[in-house]
Amino acid sequence: MNYGRRDVLGAAGGCCSVALAGCLDEPAGDGEDAPDDDLYASFFTLAEFTAAVAGGGATVENAVPDGEHGHGWEPPSTLVPEISEADAFVYLDAEGFQHWVDDAVPELEKESDLALIDALAGIDLLEYDGHDHGHDHDDRVEELGVGELALLEGDETVAYAHGDHWHDDPLSVPLEDSRSVTVVAETDDGETLEFGETYALAVRTTDGNDDDALAYEIEGDAIAFEAFEDDFTELVVQLLEDGDVVWEAPPLETEVGEHDHGHGDHDHGDDHGHSHGEYDAKFFSDPALARRGVENVRDGLIAIDPDDEATYEENAAAYVEELTALHEEYEQRLSDREHDAVVLAGHDSFQYLGERYGFEIRTPVGLSPDAAPSSEEIADTVAFLEERGIEYVLWDYFDGDRLAETIAEEADTVEDTLMVSPAESTIPDWREEGYGDYLGQMREINLPALEKALGAE
């Protein structure tokens, strides 16, 4: 399925859907007279592709700071106006991948001097695998129109939900301690609901069962939580009208007990819980398919700056050649292996890579970063490891290693855990070591880890 609502580019190199004035007036190569053209990309990987094609004369800004997931970050209010001043904005037209982009693109389309380049044009996306952890957002009760629901602790917002996703989650509850939050709900008309005679609060878990690790008590507009053991769960906050459920928030990832996401001096924070759409947009985990994204960027720059077509063609061809070499290296080093599956303790950012090189990626979480594994799913993952004799558990740097360590401790066959990167962000340490770019992460972090986990060394 070709997925896209506002494709700027056709598969063979299309034209911009907006009138363009003054964009990329000079060559984008590396010469002395090359201009300082301003290009914006919606996250790290697209910034990498864009910089490679545009060449050293262009300034390519990555909208998302280092250390943040491309899909789980919310921008300051100043970002969209900054993007509107650029010559072009490169993004993925995949609803739900970056919620702020979904909101920004309709506004940016009004800018006559800004070109929008969809790096997904012509790429068939894979559907999610149906791993829904016992809930379906489409089944949520929404009889009452609620624009936003917020959880407050004093004057501080702990998390807030609108649409089908939460911001600033997961919710964390300290072990053998309590935490109380105040719930504020606004209707689509901006009316704040009063909890009392007509409206009331309720809470349920996504699987409908009582949670032995976490207790919660509701009084008026407050929910008090008490934690008894380390666990992951998902809670659904419900609004009742005269005793009937009339609205439910999307599932809220909740960490009970210890919830340190840090590694070394790096703090991952708690802002990685956003739902995706129906299709997986992370095609770039497959270096062979990533070539199409680079070609889309090339075609977009040519469409708005045809005078420098030769420069963009040359730069793109050189980068595509590097991607081809990387693809061939993956094929060679992963072909002779002991296992045909790996376990990733985190959401699956590597579906396309597994499809390309013919191995299964097993995860207790699935594709969505919103999901939290149940005890049963963790037990199933441990059984899978032991049944297959798999010695290593993979974990995503930007998700943290806590779940991997938990699984590794339970599985008799596991010797250690190995870090991988979704290659949609970077950190200063990797840059200093010389592999902070997309190609470096794929070659120096992911390939050795997969090689070891598959028994292909």
Side-chain angles (χ1 to χ4, degrees):
M1 173 179 178
N2 293 342
Y3 186 79
R5 294 167 293 140
R6 293 177 291 269
D7 288 355
V8 175
L9 307 177
C15 61
C16 292
S17 64
V18 294
L20 188 68
C23 279
L24 307 184
D25 294 327
E26 300 293 337
D30 296 323
E32 292 182 352
D33 298 327
D36 185 21
D37 295 315
D38 293 322
L39 306 171
Y40 244 104
S42 68
F43 68 101
F44 166 80
T45 317
L46 296 186
E48 289 277 296
F49 293 173
T50 304
V53 175
T59 298
V60 180
E61 296 287 347
N62 173 16
V64 181
D66 284 358
E68 298 282 354
H69 261 309
H71 63 265
W73 173 80
E74 292 297 322
S77 60
T78 56
L79 179 63
V80 175
E82 288 177 10
I83 293 173
S84 69
E85 298 297 320
D87 295 323
F89 178 54
V90 183
Y91 72 110
L92 300 183
D93 188 9
E95 186 174 0
F97 177 66
Q98 290 182 287
H99 291 283
W100 70 269
V101 172
D102 296 341
D103 296 335
V105 165
E107 294 300 315
L108 293 173
E109 285 182 317
K110 300 174 185 177
E111 301 293 332
S112 62
D113 291 345
L114 175 70
L116 300 178
I117 300 176
D118 174 22
L120 273 182
I123 296 177
D124 291 335
L125 297 185
L126 297 173
E127 294 187 53
Y128 282 170
D129 62 0
H131 192 113
D132 63 2
H133 299 272
H135 69 267
D136 187 339
H137 290 193
D138 292 338
D139 292 336
R140 286 171 49 217
V141 178
E142 296 184 271
E143 295 176 10
L144 177 68
V146 175
E148 183 170 295
L149 182 141
L151 306 182
L152 307 180
E153 193 170 41
D155 295 331
E156 180 182 353
T157 300
V158 176
Y160 67 96
H162 65 84
D164 64 351
H165 61 281
W166 284 89
H167 297 263
D168 299 327
D169 58 324
L171 175 68
S172 61
V173 182
L175 189 62
E176 298 180 352
D177 200 351
S178 60
R179 184 175 192 181
S180 181
V181 296
T182 301
V183 179
V184 177
E186 287 188 355
T187 66
D188 291 333
D189 297 328
E191 176 189 354
T192 300
L193 296 180
E194 297 291 336
F195 297 109
E197 294 183 2
T198 303
Y199 293 104
L201 290 172
V203 177
R204 68 173 177 86
T205 58
T206 54
D207 59 9
N209 298 321
D210 292 336
D211 198 316
D212 294 333
L214 183 69
Y216 35 88
E217 184 176 346
I218 298 171
E219 183 173 349
D221 61 355
I223 306 174
F225 299 96
E226 188 171 1
F228 302 106
E229 60 184 70
D230 291 343
D231 202 359
F232 295 91
T233 190
E234 286 186 314
L235 300 178
V236 176
V237 179
Q238 300 175 311
L239 301 185
L240 310 182
E241 184 177 5
D242 297 328
D244 296 325
V245 178
V246 291
W247 187 84
E248 294 182 317
L252 173 61
E253 181 182 350
T254 304
E255 296 181 337
V256 185
E258 297 298 324
H259 50 87
D260 180 16
H261 292 273
H263 301 280
D265 294 329
H266 180 70
D267 181 10
H268 296 275
D270 288 335
D271 188 20
H272 55 73
H274 290 266
S275 63
H276 290 337
E278 186 179 353
Y279 295 88
D280 182 5
K282 298 180 182 180
F283 72 96
F284 47 84
S285 71
D286 171 6
L289 192 56
R291 296 177 297 195
R292 185 67 189 111
V294 173
E295 290 165 353
N296 280 336
V297 174
R298 174 201 66 194
D299 294 346
L301 295 182
I302 290 173
I304 63 179
D305 181 24
D307 290 345
D308 294 309
E309 177 177 357
T311 297
Y312 302 135
E313 290 277 8
E314 181 180 353
N315 291 345
Y319 198 75
V320 165
E321 186 175 342
E322 290 192 72
L323 289 170
T324 299
L326 179 64
H327 161 59
E328 292 173 350
E329 194 171 353
Y330 267 77
E331 278 193 318
Q332 177 185 1
R333 291 173 58 176
L334 301 183
S335 60
D336 185 12
R337 58 195 184 221
E338 295 179 8
H339 309 296
D340 283 317
V342 297
V343 167
L344 173 65
H347 72 280
D348 184 3
S349 298
F350 301 92
Q351 182 179 200
Y352 290 90
L353 190 146
E355 286 277 330
R356 173 68 63 185
Y357 303 111
F359 62 88
E360 177 186 357
I361 299 175
R362 175 68 177 258
T363 168
V365 176
L367 288 158
S368 172
D370 282 339
S374 66
S375 298
E376 181 180 356
E377 287 164 328
I378 292 175
D380 288 344
T381 302
V382 169
F384 181 83
L385 286 160
E386 293 178 341
E387 178 185 344
R388 298 291 186 96
I390 296 174
E391 300 92 346
Y392 299 96
V393 178
L394 303 175
W395 56 277
D396 181 335
Y397 175 84
F398 298 98
D399 284 343
D401 66 348
R402 180 188 171 205
L403 180 56
E405 294 293 342
T406 298
I407 292 172
E409 289 175 4
E410 296 291 329
D412 292 338
T413 58
V414 173
E415 299 177 5
D416 204 351
T417 63
L418 301 170
M419 184 190 77
V420 291
S421 169
E424 61 176 280
S425 185
T426 192
I427 62 172
D429 285 351
W430 295 350
R431 291 190 188 277
E432 291 175 9
E433 294 295 328
Y435 50 79
D437 60 333
Y438 167 83
L439 291 170
Q441 291 181 47
M442 292 294 292
R443 178 174 284 114
E444 302 300 331
I445 297 176
N446 294 339
L447 183 52
L450 289 167
E451 191 176 31
K452 196 166 188 176
L454 289 166
E457 289 182 306

